[in-house]
Amino acid sequence: MSLSVGFIGLGALGAPMAANLQARGFPLTVHNRRRDREMPLAAAGARRAATPAAAAQGADVLALCLSDDAAVAAVLLGEGGDVADAALAGLAPGALVVDFSTIAPGTSRAMADALGGRGVAYLDAPVTGGTEGARAGTLAVLVGGAAADLERARPVLEAVGRTITAIGPVGAGQGAKAVNQVLVAGSYAAVAEAMALGQRLGLPMEEVRQALVGGAAGSWALEHRAGAMLRGEFPLGFRLRLHRKDLAIALEAATAGGLELPVADLVAAMEDDLIAAGHGDEDVSALARWFNARSR
């Protein structure tokens, strides 16, 4: 591959995404705040970078997969105004930043403005599909930014995603991700609630689940998470605390637009309870715990 790629953020999604880029033959440089997470990729040939600036140096495309707005701003622009180690210090004019993180649309626009002043293009490209999709390279990528920049990034995007959808200008990808996270909130909570009801009624719930999955009530959550909910297992696809962060973005956007989201509000409160009880690092399907804790 002719594009050299820097990748910053090797968490549950970022590490397998970077591994898929490496498998496609992209020259890869990696950086993570916890440096030990760089080791598996380095063992397969990736170059390790000590700072975001070093990861960005020489990169045609710098990919980010970070936890929140503050992390993205710190990596790109530096903390406390110190830009020496920030990615901006290493990016050359003409480089392209592809931000796979889920952050507020306004933050994406601010990053694009800051980078654009240095001749660096920016795409917000949040993903959906969880750790399963990240490992398989089948994520859905929701892209905000200029069409020409998307085409430059397409080889990178196709290495991590099955579908790449241009949503609109910078920030639009994050708006689409907010819509996605509201849908996840409602569908996971509805499945958890339904499973709790069926168990309370004494029904053979695995048989019920199989009967319903192909009908009008069918959903990804019913097909892929309900069985584990019934067993009290919560295999990690996406951390509940990160989904709660994403819901906050959606709820803030709704408030700004004069819209109420009562279902998302309710699920956010449920997730707050679960996080307070120590379940924030479990999968979003741990919403089932909320109903189990209230059984009488």
Side-chain angles (χ1 to χ4, degrees), residues 211-277:
L212 298 181
V213 75
S219 69
W220 193 95
L222 182 63
E223 181 175 358
H224 295 281
R225 290 290 183 263
M229 287 181 185
L230 293 168
R231 297 188 298 273
E233 300 169 358
F234 309 103
L236 184 60
F238 189 67
R239 295 185 195 280
L240 186 142
R241 62 177 172 83
L242 293 179
H243 182 258
R244 177 64 182 89
K245 179 265 296 182
D246 294 353
L247 268 189
I249 293 171
L251 289 166
E252 288 168 8
T255 298
L259 177 68
E260 293 185 9
L261 300 179
V263 175
D265 268 324
L266 176 58
V267 177
M270 294 165 63
E271 291 182 347
D272 286 341
D273 288 345
L274 291 166
I275 291 167

Side-chain angles (χ1 to χ4, degrees), residues 51-104:
T51 65
Q57 192 167 19
D60 298 306
V61 175
L62 178 67
L64 309 180
C65 193
L66 301 168
S67 59
D68 56 28
D69 299 55
V72 169
V75 162
L76 286 178
L77 307 181
E79 296 189 65
D82 181 8
V83 299
D85 290 336
L88 186 60
L91 287 165
L96 172 62
V97 171
V98 177
D99 191 356
F100 294 118
S101 316
T102 297
I103 56 179

Side-chain angles (χ1 to χ4, degrees), residues 90-234:
L91 287 165
L96 172 62
V97 171
V98 177
D99 191 356
F100 294 118
S101 316
T102 297
I103 56 179
T107 301
S108 287
R109 290 189 288 268
M111 295 301 103
D113 288 345
L115 293 169
R118 300 284 289 272
V120 176
Y122 175 94
L123 295 173
D124 62 301
V127 298
T128 180
T131 55
E132 297 101 327
R135 288 191 294 267
T138 58
L139 294 166
V141 189
L142 309 168
V143 185
D149 294 330
L150 189 157
E151 289 310 310
R152 289 170 58 198
R154 188 172 292 278
V156 170
L157 302 179
E158 289 179 343
V160 302
R162 175 178 289 166
T163 60
I164 295 96
T165 306
I167 306 296
V170 169
Q174 300 296 350
K177 182 62 182 285
V179 172
N180 179 84
Q181 298 304 66
V182 168
L183 286 166
V184 168
S187 62
Y188 273 58
V191 168
E193 186 172 62
M195 294 304 101
L197 174 62
Q199 288 178 308
R200 180 54 57 89
L201 294 175
L203 302 177
M205 283 308 297
E206 180 53 31
E207 288 81 355
V208 171
R209 185 196 70 81
Q210 292 179 25
L212 298 181
V213 75
S219 69
W220 193 95
L222 182 63
E223 181 175 358
H224 295 281
R225 290 290 183 263
M229 287 181 185
L230 293 168
R231 297 188 298 273
E233 300 169 358
F234 309 103

